[in-house]
Amino acid sequence: MRKFFVLEFILFLIGLFSLIYKEYFLTLFLLYLVGNALITIIYKLDLCQVILSIFMFPYFPLIQFFILKEQTPHYVPLDFEYKPIETINPSYKTIDLAPFHVMLKYGDKGQKKEAIRLILELTSKEEIDFNEGLKMIYTTISKENDQDVILYATEALNYLEKILLRKLYESKDKNSVDYARYSYYYANSPFLEKEQKIELLNSTKKFLEDFIKKYPYNIDALTLLIKILEDLEGHEEIEKLLELKLAKIKSRELFEIAILYYLKHRKHSKVKELLTEFHSYKYTFKNESLKILLEG
């Protein structure tokens, strides 16, 4: 490519000299045309470029130079070769997201980019909930003013979408809760329009309902189905499902899901009833929110 630019520059000089030394105009002009024709053949360019070189004589080679010259990016490309983070595979619920929010809001450019890198890595490892990670990066793009940070965050968001789609594809044929979970993440991601989100949530709901018929005691599937029904505002369906399952499954996890749901919707009498039964089994809360709210 460097030789190409050198030849173009020489042709420009030939064209320019033909205007300065008019006694040699015809010779230099013919040399200019032959040179453009040879470059077109050697570099397999469009033949119309020879015609353009006549109309834009003698500046066409100079125009070619600036059009084809490799542009230097105005931002530093995002490097996805992560630095290792010292963690012991924690659950995302144990990671405090507050420092990320602070850095993304008040940090300088370097701190914001480092926060994005960490969010990207922890989300891709699912040590941060996928939707939380996507939301933080998407919010940065919508509120940030620095173009370098915006481009960095945009590349991170695109990379996370690729990871999510890959996980969705890989789990599709396994008939597992993982497929429903990644579908739920994608439905709540910033990549879909509202109609697409609802369509995907309904499809995932149907998948989970069929799955629960085969595996009625799978708590992960029940938890995910309740989240999806909440997004679809299917509150009657949720209450019927909880009543049906709590009559058969007396697990601590299911009690916690039900108590959280009824607390959220301020059905205090139902919460009181469930708490009485919960304590009758000598259960203690594992959910941190319930510990704070109900144990003090």
Side-chain angles (χ1 to χ4, degrees):
M1 188 59 76
R2 183 177 293 178
K3 289 180 180 178
F4 172 80
F5 291 137
V6 171
L7 290 172
E8 287 283 17
F9 184 67
I10 291 170
L11 285 177
F12 167 67
L13 291 177
I14 290 171
L16 196 60
F17 288 151
S18 72
L19 296 178
I20 297 171
Y21 303 103
K22 293 185 179 178
E23 63 271 26
Y24 302 111
F25 175 81
L26 186 58
T27 303
L28 291 171
F29 182 67
L30 287 172
L31 188 59
Y32 170 86
L33 286 181
V34 171
N36 271 297
L38 286 173
I39 287 177
T40 301
I41 294 167
I42 293 168
Y43 290 98
K44 298 180 180 179
L45 302 178
D46 195 325
L47 287 174
C48 74
Q49 302 213 17
V50 179
I51 300 170
L52 286 172
S53 70
I54 298 172
F55 285 105
M56 297 181 183
F57 173 81
Y59 300 106
F60 180 73
L62 200 61
I63 294 167
Q64 280 284 86
F65 174 81
F66 286 112
I67 289 175
L68 297 176
K69 185 177 182 297
E70 183 179 351
Q71 298 296 312
T72 303
H74 295 292
Y75 65 97
V76 179
L78 184 60
D79 180 9
F80 291 113
E81 294 297 323
Y82 305 125
K83 300 173 188 175
I85 298 176
E86 293 183 5
T87 58
I88 311 174
N89 194 28
S91 161
Y92 68 82
K93 293 179 182 178
T94 68
I95 294 177
D96 184 4
L97 300 180
F100 294 112
H101 288 291
V102 172
M103 280 198 289
L104 290 173
K105 189 171 183 179
Y106 300 109
D108 60 28
K109 180 163 72 173
Q111 290 170 328
K112 287 177 180 178
K113 289 172 74 173
E114 180 64 11
I116 291 166
R117 187 190 70 79
L118 290 170
I119 292 167
L120 173 62
E121 180 168 354
L122 291 169
T123 304
S124 63
K125 292 179 178 178
E126 296 189 63
E127 292 174 1
I128 290 178
D129 177 69
F130 241 101
N131 287 139
E132 287 290 342
L134 288 169
K135 184 180 177 182
M136 282 191 286
I137 294 175
Y138 184 73
T139 302
T140 301
I141 294 170
S142 60
K143 293 186 177 180
E144 180 59 44
N145 295 318
D146 189 294
Q147 290 301 310
D148 195 15
V149 175
I150 291 171
L151 285 166
Y152 199 85
T154 301
E155 289 193 43
L157 193 69
N158 290 338
Y159 188 74
L160 278 178
E161 182 182 19
K162 288 177 184 176
I163 291 174
L164 187 51
L165 287 172
R166 189 187 74 236
K167 288 178 180 288
L168 193 56
Y169 175 78
E170 289 173 350
S171 61
K172 186 174 182 180
D173 297 325
K174 294 180 181 178
N175 194 36
S176 67
V177 179
D178 280 341
Y179 172 68
R181 182 160 54 89
Y182 294 128
S183 296
Y184 171 73
Y185 288 153
Y186 197 60
N188 282 284
S189 72
F191 308 120
L192 300 183
E193 299 294 333
K194 185 178 180 181
E195 294 77 12
Q196 294 172 313
K197 171 183 175 176
I198 292 170
E199 183 180 350
L200 184 53
L201 285 174
N202 277 314
S203 170
T204 311
K205 172 193 166 188
K206 178 68 169 59
F207 174 89
L208 283 170
E209 286 172 341
D210 291 341
F211 183 88
I212 289 168
K213 285 177 184 177
K214 294 180 182 178
Y215 308 100
Y217 300 107
N218 191 302
I219 298 298
D220 290 336
L222 286 168
T223 303
L224 192 52
L225 179 56
I226 289 167
K227 286 181 180 180
I228 289 169
L229 288 170
E230 280 200 89
D231 285 351
L232 294 170
E233 298 184 356
H235 300 296
E236 287 186 16
E237 289 180 81
I238 291 173
E239 292 182 20
K240 286 179 182 177
L241 180 65
L242 286 172
E243 187 175 349
L244 176 66
K245 292 301 177 181
L246 282 169
K248 298 178 180 179
I249 307 171
K250 303 297 183 179
S251 73
R252 175 187 51 76
E253 292 88 349
L254 189 58
F255 272 111
E256 288 188 342
I257 292 165
I259 291 168
L260 273 172
Y261 173 79
Y262 288 117
L263 274 173
K264 182 178 177 181
H265 293 279
R266 303 190 178 201
K267 298 197 173 184
H268 301 301
S269 59
K270 191 66 180 176
V271 172
K272 190 175 180 180
E273 177 189 325
L274 288 171
L275 280 173
T276 302
E277 191 172 2
F278 181 84
H279 291 305
S280 71
Y281 292 107
K282 308 297 182 184
Y283 288 144
T284 56
F285 292 116
K286 187 176 180 181
N287 185 285
E288 295 295 328
S289 300
L290 289 175
K291 280 183 183 179
I292 294 167
L293 288 170
L294 300 174
E295 291 182 353

